[in-house]
Amino acid sequence: MAWIASQAYYRVQREVSEGQQRCSVSDRRIDLYHDRITTHRREFQLAHVFDISYRRIGGGIGMLYLHTSIGVFPYTVNTDPMPFITCFKSMPSEKPSE
């Protein structure tokens, strides 16, 4: 199934080894489907995603937050996530099944 919208994000991993710090940056994406949102390691059913918000940090960088039934998940973005958020908010909402 093809995604409806996609948002790039990245993860910075810092490692200290032998007294030196190394940073590696991994480019990843969040994909919105008709029934779920997927990230590199997680999958959220849309019925369990309550909201998506964005907070700008500065220098073109911001945090995209997925508000879900199991917690809030932050993702670092360096592109405007508003098209992704608008697409999510236009999706029909469903209540989680108990």
Side-chain angles (χ1 to χ4, degrees), residues 11-64:
R11 181 172 187 267
V12 176
Q13 186 169 353
R14 291 176 177 82
E15 296 177 10
V16 176
S17 176
E18 299 177 10
Q20 294 184 349
Q21 179 176 313
R22 279 187 14 186
C23 291
S24 62
V25 177
S26 301
D27 291 326
R28 299 178 177 174
R29 42 182 250 198
I30 302 171
D31 296 322
L32 173 64
Y33 295 88
H34 289 285
D35 60 343
R36 67 190 183 283
I37 292 177
T38 62
T39 67
H40 181 71
R41 298 200 184 255
R42 292 190 166 88
E43 182 173 302
F44 305 96
Q45 295 301 311
L46 275 188
H48 298 280
V49 179
F50 304 131
D51 196 14
I52 299 178
S53 61
Y54 172 69
R55 183 166 188 98
R56 195 178 184 136
I57 296 173
I61 297 173
M63 297 300 293
L64 180 73

Side-chain angles (χ1 to χ4, degrees), residues 81-98:
M82 291 316 293
F84 183 84
I85 294 171
T86 301
C87 191
F88 167 78
K89 292 189 177 197
S90 70
M91 303 281 294
S93 63
E94 297 177 17
K95 297 287 184 201
S97 55
E98 305 275 334

